[in-house]
Amino acid sequence: MVESIHETASQHHVAEMQGIEQDSLTRDHREAELHEYQAVSAGALFGLFLALISAAAFAHPVLWFLPVVAALANLLALARIASQAPRLLGRPVALFGLVLSLILGAAAPSYYAASGYRTRHEAQFVVRQWLDDVRHHRLEAAAELMVEPFKRLPAGEDPVTNYRDEPRAMRALRELSERPLVVAIEAIGAESQVRYLDTVFHHTTPFKERISSLWAVTYKEDGKLKSILVRASLERDKKGPTGRNFWWLTKVDLVTNPPAWLKP
């Protein structure tokens, strides 16, 4: 009787152990099956790709939409991964793509604004230098700023001597001195004040960069302040070196019809 009880208990124990082992095997099989069906999200990979090519936004403002599209793609990938977890992998990839697209989306406009400010500042320096040269009767130096950089006199060479000895340079200097704007500014003299007013346009292509700006030369006459308005157009070759020394004035005109915001 005792042996029968022990045998029955042993059979129950064996059966219990077999059940545990069967459950364990079933669980292991399910985990293996689940692991087998796990996959990296294609949306996360696509979002990362879009984030990487978003660096092209630095090239031109028209491409600023790329980081926005990349950020949306990565957000959609994160939402899909969350809804299908744990079968769908790639959350770190989508997060990296999202952060990268946000950084590029903020950096590209900031870089463009800083670059534009620097470029306009360089161009303003050239115009101010030209106006100062005319005010102080240094027409040879002013004429040099209207020549393409690679055609200018070498640094350190006296422009006065060259413009006296070279017939073509003498003709250009004479034409400059006869311009109504130059005559008017020279008549006002060095007591006048030069002020930058506004950038009329700033256009850039893969080869050239052009800026046109509005200036005022203010002087006192009969106790009253009067101004001559000047529009200056500059150009720079983007294929070569950059900087203020590589701008040249293509046109400087007297403004006879001021914009509405300058009219009293």
Side-chain angles (χ1 to χ4, degrees), residues 135-156:
R135 288 168 58 233
H136 291 89
H137 310 288
R138 299 189 298 259
L139 293 188
E140 294 84 2
E144 279 292 286
L145 294 176
M146 303 185 76
V147 177
E148 294 180 47
F150 65 92
K151 295 181 180 179
R152 291 176 187 166
L153 294 173

Side-chain angles (χ1 to χ4, degrees), residues 47-97:
L48 178 60
F49 170 74
L50 288 178
L52 292 173
I53 66 172
S54 293
F58 285 93
H60 198 276
V62 75
L63 299 175
W64 287 354
F65 74 93
L66 286 175
V68 177
V69 174
L72 291 175
N74 282 288
L75 285 172
L76 289 174
L78 285 170
R80 186 178 181 188
I81 291 169
S83 65
Q84 299 187 22
R87 297 184 61 183
L88 202 57
L89 303 175
R91 189 170 185 274
V93 176
L95 282 174
F96 178 76

Side-chain angles (χ1 to χ4, degrees), residues 230-264:
V230 179
R231 177 166 175 163
S233 300
L234 302 94
E235 189 172 295
R236 179 173 68 178
D237 192 343
K238 292 189 70 176
K239 295 180 292 183
T242 58
R244 65 191 186 192
N245 293 329
F246 296 93
W247 286 95
W248 72 92
L249 281 153
T250 57
K251 197 174 183 181
V252 188
D253 292 324
L254 183 67
V255 178
T256 56
N257 186 23
W261 60 273
L262 279 176
K263 293 179 180 178

